[in-house]
Amino acid sequence: MYIVRMDESITPNKISSDLLRGHTDTMILKLLLSGDKYGYEISKLIHAISNGEYELKEATMYSSLKRLENDDCITSYWGDETQGGRRRYYRITEKGKELYFENKNSWEYAKRVLDNLL
Amino acid sequence: MNEKLDQYLNGVFAPYDGVKSVAELKADLLSDLQERFLELKAEGKDDETAFEMTIDSIGDIEQTVQEVANLSRSLERQVLTNFSASNLTKSDFAGVTAHKGKFEASALRGSDFAGADLTGSSFKSSDVREANFDSTNLTDCTLYVSDLTDASFNKSILVRTEFNTSELTRAKFTNVKLIDVKLNMIDLRETIFENCIFNGVDFKYCDLRGMCLDGLTFIGVKFDKTSLNEAKFKGATLRNVSFLAPFTWSTWSKKYYRAIKTISFDGATMDKLTYAALKGMEADLSKVTVI
């Protein structure tokens, strides 16, 4: 079930929107570290883990997924669902894991610098 | 299964029919949207609200589809360059006459066709990178699914030439009159057009986003289902040019009109027909001269 926080929420401006969108690849890689997932599952989890503060649009998510797959950071396969349509599941590769840790470190560094300066 | 969602996506993805990777994206997206819709209904939302919220969760899918389509085209071509029925790399065809020649699945990289008469010839699935087509007669030629990266077309004769689904990155068209030429489904953002006249040219499904088309002449040209966001037509001449939106779905047209508004027509000259059509789409025509 979705819980959307409507009270005292900070309205995102362009800077924060771009910042969040720029880290979509890393967000997805982290989720896949804990196991293979399919599209809708990924966007639902991101919404939930961000406590409803971030809604990842399908378009943004698929841009990331296709890019990551093209760069061999993730692979995909059809799951065999019995309830209706088949779903495409995504799995992180070794290269993807390396990229995740690289990006995470870059973010920690940037966060540290900005926290001091802003 | 929600029929409306399926129909909505069909409308959005129709221009890319036949591009396999885009069809896969559409299927994955539809599956996500169906599940989201069902969950929203289960939360007690009515059909209309659930539908609107589901569509709203899509975001700017047009950009994603373009990216995926561009990606797959470049991949297809990588496979094709390794499959050559004839190895004619760096061949010298300068000045030859070869009517209705068939250059299919051939390796023609760096070949010289300068001044040749290739009327009615076809280049299908060929590697024609860095080829020289200066002053070549390419009347009625078809260059289909071929790699023409870095090819040179200086003063080439291009009448009814078809460049469908080919790669034209960094291809140079200088001092050329393109007459009734078809440029379909091509990413033209890095193609160079200098001192060219486009007469009756069809740019269907092409990607011209952000392109500089300053000072060029467009007569009877069709920009149907063409991506033109942020394109520049400064000082260009437009006569009888048509800009058709991909679809009649109102939300899709609104997006297209938004794209039209980002085009720069400053200093351009256009006839009443073109002016009226663009005015209707709320383009910025404040610095345009009507002839």
Side-chain angles (χ1 to χ4, degrees), chain B residues 22-57:
Chain B
V22 174
E24 289 176 356
L25 171 65
K26 177 182 164 188
D28 292 342
L29 183 60
L30 182 62
S31 164
D32 285 358
L33 297 179
Q34 299 282 14
E35 198 175 329
R36 185 183 291 260
F37 180 78
L38 288 173
E39 278 192 7
L40 289 171
K41 288 289 309 260
E43 281 169 25
K45 311 245 180 332
D46 62 79
D47 269 12
E48 219 185 289
T49 312
F51 183 76
E52 271 176 36
M53 287 179 72
T54 304
I55 299 296
D56 184 62
S57 77

Side-chain angles (χ1 to χ4, degrees), chain A residues 32-48:
Chain A
L32 294 179
L33 270 178
S34 61
D36 301 353
K37 300 190 171 54
Y38 66 97
Y40 182 53
E41 201 180 352
I42 293 175
S43 75
K44 247 205 319 191
L45 280 168
I46 288 184
H47 190 84

Side-chain angles (χ1 to χ4, degrees), chain A residues 1-2 38-40 43-44 55 57-63 66-67 70 78 86-88 90, chain B residues 1 21 24-25 28-29 31-33 35-36 39 43 56-61 64 67-68 71 75:
Chain A
M1 205 170 75
Y2 277 30
Y38 66 97
Y40 182 53
S43 75
K44 247 205 319 191
E55 196 200 334
K57 299 285 188 187
E58 292 279 319
T60 317
M61 179 180 73
Y62 277 107
S63 272
K66 294 301 166 189
R67 194 173 39 240
N70 195 48
W78 288 112
R86 290 192 305 171
R87 290 170 178 151
R88 186 187 293 271
Y90 296 91
Chain B
M1 276 289 156
S21 57
E24 289 176 356
L25 171 65
D28 292 342
L29 183 60
S31 164
D32 285 358
L33 297 179
E35 198 175 329
R36 185 183 291 260
E39 278 192 7
E43 281 169 25
D56 184 62
S57 77
I58 300 176
D60 185 1
I61 198 69
T64 309
E67 284 168 17
V68 171
L71 250 178
L75 283 175

Side-chain angles (χ1 to χ4, degrees), chain B residues 66-249:
Chain B
Q66 271 284 9
E67 284 168 17
V68 171
N70 287 347
L71 250 178
S72 74
R73 272 199 284 273
S74 66
L75 283 175
E76 262 167 54
R77 218 148 289 110
Q78 276 168 35
V79 173
L80 293 170
T81 48
N82 291 329
F83 175 61
S84 53
S86 41
N87 189 348
L88 298 158
T89 319
K90 291 215 172 115
S91 295
D92 180 4
F93 292 102
V96 306
T97 301
H99 288 194
K100 300 214 174 115
K102 285 201 188 314
F103 297 93
E104 298 183 16
S106 297
L108 290 156
R109 187 172 180 171
S111 289
D112 185 0
F113 291 92
D117 180 359
L118 299 172
T119 308
S121 295
S122 72
F123 292 79
K124 280 193 199 149
S125 313
S126 289
D127 178 1
V128 206
R129 288 174 287 173
E130 297 155 26
N132 181 354
F133 288 101
D134 294 348
S135 301
T136 312
N137 187 345
L138 289 162
T139 303
D140 291 316
C141 285
T142 314
L143 294 106
Y144 182 64
V145 192
S146 289
D147 192 344
L148 291 150
T149 308
D150 295 306
S152 169
F153 294 90
N154 182 27
K155 301 202 177 128
S156 316
I157 299 173
L158 295 172
V159 179
R160 294 184 299 275
T161 317
E162 294 190 14
F163 289 90
N164 296 345
T165 321
S166 283
E167 184 66 66
L168 281 170
T169 304
R170 294 188 306 276
K172 274 183 92 160
F173 292 82
T174 45
N175 310 306
V176 182
K177 254 196 239 164
L178 293 92
I179 302 176
D180 295 333
V181 167
K182 285 199 180 82
L183 291 154
N184 294 346
M185 278 217 100
I186 304 175
D187 181 352
L188 289 168
R189 289 175 294 174
E190 284 182 69
T191 310
I192 300 161
F193 292 101
E194 275 165 26
N195 197 21
C196 288
I197 297 178
F198 298 85
N199 193 328
V201 175
D202 184 352
F203 286 94
K204 218 179 202 175
Y205 306 144
C206 281
D207 190 350
L208 282 98
R209 289 175 292 169
M211 250 189 111
C212 174
L213 299 159
D214 296 351
L216 298 172
T217 303
F218 300 87
I219 305 170
V221 168
K222 288 196 230 207
F223 288 109
D224 298 347
K225 305 178 182 59
T226 313
S227 294
L228 284 162
N229 311 47
E230 324 252 340
K232 305 186 230 316
F233 285 85
K234 299 197 199 161
T237 306
L238 289 91
R239 285 218 294 271
N240 206 359
V241 176
S242 77
F243 295 85
L244 271 191
F247 268 93
T248 50
W249 278 92

